[in-house]
Amino acid sequence: MSAAPDQDALAVIRRLEAVIAARKAEGDAGASHTARLLAKGRSKCAQKLGEEAVETAIAAAEGDRAAVTSESADLLFHLLVLLASMDLSLDDVAAELARREGVSGLAEKAARRE
């Protein structure tokens, strides 16, 4: 299934990342949900990410495709907020994925234990 040009998945996520960065830079906790969440700190951002991950997993276990789609959007949003709270970006995550590319998942996990 291909998305319409204005709905290209990566472009949408990049725009959202830019909005989150702008909200962080503005720093006005009264101006948006994003700014308010960021003002509460990294721990709160991490908690919200965890909540959304659980909600996504429950929807998947129930086989509810619409709920998985909706909860996944929430999950991605809160991941981007957490990354922003730590001055990280999608580029940082992509660099880590590129580093792992071509490495067996078993080998990668074994290397983490060393």
Side-chain angles (χ1 to χ4, degrees), residues 80-99:
L80 292 173
V81 171
L82 178 66
L83 290 172
S85 78
M86 299 186 70
D87 296 321
L88 293 168
S89 70
L90 287 174
D91 290 332
D92 297 308
V93 176
E96 178 61 15
L97 289 170
R99 184 190 68 76

Side-chain angles (χ1 to χ4, degrees), residues 34-111:
T34 302
R36 186 174 300 126
L37 184 56
L38 287 165
K40 291 180 179 179
R42 183 179 53 236
S43 292
K44 184 62 175 179
C45 294
Q47 176 189 348
K48 287 298 294 177
L49 177 66
E51 290 171 8
E52 297 303 338
V54 168
E55 291 171 5
T56 303
I58 290 169
E62 293 173 346
D64 187 338
R65 292 173 52 89
V68 168
T69 300
S70 178
E71 294 299 343
S72 293
D74 293 344
L75 180 61
L76 284 171
F77 167 77
H78 284 93
L79 174 59
L80 292 173
V81 171
L82 178 66
L83 290 172
S85 78
M86 299 186 70
D87 296 321
L88 293 168
S89 70
L90 287 174
D91 290 332
D92 297 308
V93 176
E96 178 61 15
L97 289 170
R99 184 190 68 76
R100 295 180 187 184
E101 194 170 12
V103 177
S104 153
L106 296 174
E108 196 277 328
K109 283 190 177 226

Side-chain angles (χ1 to χ4, degrees), residues 15-27 34 38 80-81 84:
R15 286 194 304 269
L16 179 57
E17 183 180 41
V19 168
I20 291 167
R23 298 291 190 269
K24 180 180 179 187
E26 292 164 5
T34 302
L38 287 165
L80 292 173
V81 171

